[in-house]
Amino acid sequence: MPLAIAIAPLWLAASVPAPQAAPPGPKVGLAFNAVMSRGEEGFLASMREQVQMGTEAMALSLNWKEIETGPGMFDLKKIDDNLGLARFVGAEPYVTIKIINTTAREVPTDLQEQAWDSPVMIARFQEFLRAILPRFGNRVKALSIANEADIYFADKADELDGFMRLYRATKSTLKTSAPDLPIGVTTTWEGISTRKSICQTLQQESEFLFLTYYAVRPDYSLQPNTEVRKHLAEMAAFTGTKPWVLQEFGQPASPVLGASDATQDAFLKETLRVLPEFAPRLKAAVYFSQVDFSPELVTALKTYYGAQDPRFAAFLGSLGLRDATGKARPGLRTLREFLRSRQSPDQ
């Protein structure tokens, strides 16, 4: 899903929650974002909300071309700020480096014409990883190097073999630079059935599987909540014996799609109810997202994804547990109460 949010280093002077005994079932989190029109005030409000809720997991996005500002030059502060947010909130971070983001190739500008498996591309990505991995320490639980890559390769199948060679080279780098960090690639729930061979190819060498799950049909109308357990079981079967994470899960609330605040809340309640059945291999599930995207950002993302369908805009613009003005939807209370029920009495 969408673009990473720049994280200000406001956490630096704050105290960090002490580690607590892990509750049963997968960690549950909420994708961080804020009411854009409120600036720093909105950012701080979202941060306080995450802390007060007791968010347990975060899915963090990093963009190679934003961090590598020139060949061999790295803005590592972007990594520190993102991981610092997770640390401040007290959440376990799962990181995706989006060299692919759903429909787009996200590599440094001077590498745009390079094949995935060109010696130059492989060498530069290995150098990038060696520069950033020390910042992860032992905090990051797993790393994905592409987001919803099955969608990208559905239209660019001729690039898949080259990408897999880059992937294998990346694994080799991690074995020496971060041997305890499991690696994967993010694919979609619907891709398990509609792009099965691509998903299998992408995930066959993964040590840890990342999945996104939006309970909608191809026209963005809602899937029935009676299917949630079945969908999760499909994902669990696809992952085999490997650990996995729901990098994103969610459902829109827009009436344009026949949805509402109430249907979104019902979906969230059902998903939270059945998630524990998929432990211990399902390590975490992160609801997307905290706040709806602004209309301006939705317009920009329609162009970015190359999708002008107004139903796609309605989907993309109504996934939050708060609307774009900051008004809470019922699902926010549901998630807050769920997370509080998992906290120890002294928290």
Side-chain angles (χ1 to χ4, degrees), residues 65-341:
K65 69 180 182 181
E66 291 179 358
I67 295 170
E68 186 169 349
T69 56
M73 297 183 293
F74 306 103
D75 180 5
L76 300 178
K77 182 177 177 294
K78 294 181 184 296
I79 298 171
D80 296 339
D81 288 348
N82 275 270
L83 292 176
L85 175 66
R87 182 170 180 266
F88 175 79
V89 170
E92 290 186 347
Y94 294 81
V95 172
T96 300
I97 301 172
K98 296 183 175 181
I99 64 174
I100 290 171
N101 187 24
T102 310
T103 59
R105 174 184 169 108
E106 294 283 0
V107 302
T109 303
D110 65 303
L111 297 178
Q112 282 291 348
E113 302 304 317
Q114 293 285 336
W116 290 114
D117 58 345
S118 75
V120 173
M121 178 74 81
I122 290 175
R124 282 277 295 280
F125 193 52
Q126 289 177 322
E127 181 184 12
F128 170 73
L129 290 171
R130 284 191 288 267
I132 69 169
L133 289 172
R135 319 300 279 212
F136 287 10
N138 60 1
R139 291 176 289 171
V140 175
K141 298 302 177 182
L143 172 67
S144 167
I145 65 164
N147 183 53
E148 298 183 326
D150 54 304
I151 297 176
Y152 178 88
F153 288 113
D155 290 330
K156 299 176 180 66
D158 59 322
E159 296 183 24
L160 183 53
D161 287 346
F163 178 83
M164 292 306 297
R165 284 188 280 273
L166 172 67
Y167 188 24
R168 285 189 284 272
T170 301
K171 288 178 64 178
S172 176
T173 301
L174 260 65
K175 289 303 179 187
T176 56
S177 299
D180 296 325
L181 180 64
I183 185 174
V185 171
T186 306
T187 53
T188 64
W189 156 68
E190 69 272 17
I192 293 173
S193 57
T194 61
R195 296 177 286 272
K196 185 176 180 179
S197 63
I198 294 173
C199 287
Q200 288 175 333
T201 298
L202 287 165
Q203 300 290 20
Q204 64 186 353
E205 297 188 41
S206 295
E207 302 159 344
F208 196 109
L209 276 67
F210 290 69
L211 289 158
T212 63
Y213 170 47
Y214 292 93
V216 294
R217 299 184 177 94
D219 66 353
Y220 303 105
S221 61
L222 306 185
Q223 294 272 359
N225 290 335
T226 52
E227 297 290 294
V228 169
R229 178 188 275 110
K230 174 188 172 185
H231 297 161
L232 289 169
E234 290 169 354
M235 289 181 268
F238 174 72
T239 61
T241 60
K242 297 175 181 178
W244 59 294
V245 62
L246 275 178
Q247 174 185 298
E248 304 166 12
F249 75 98
Q251 194 175 75
S254 172
V256 172
L257 306 176
S260 65
D261 293 358
T263 60
Q264 183 191 64
D265 184 41
F267 164 76
L268 180 56
K269 285 177 177 175
E270 177 62 11
T271 306
L272 294 174
R273 187 182 72 83
V274 300
L275 279 177
E277 298 178 20
F278 300 93
R281 285 196 303 109
L282 176 58
K283 301 301 182 183
V286 180
Y287 188 86
F288 194 94
S289 62
Q290 191 168 358
V291 180
D292 281 351
F293 294 134
S294 69
E296 296 79 12
L297 182 54
V298 170
T299 297
L301 290 172
K302 285 168 58 182
T303 300
Y304 177 84
Y305 290 120
Q308 297 303 313
D309 183 349
R311 292 179 67 84
F312 175 71
F315 163 80
L316 201 58
S318 66
L319 291 166
L321 296 185
R322 290 184 181 273
D323 70 17
T325 70
K327 181 182 177 182
R329 293 192 170 108
L332 184 65
R333 180 176 180 177
T334 292
L335 183 58
R336 181 185 294 119
E337 291 178 349
F338 174 85
L339 288 169
R340 285 179 176 172
S341 74

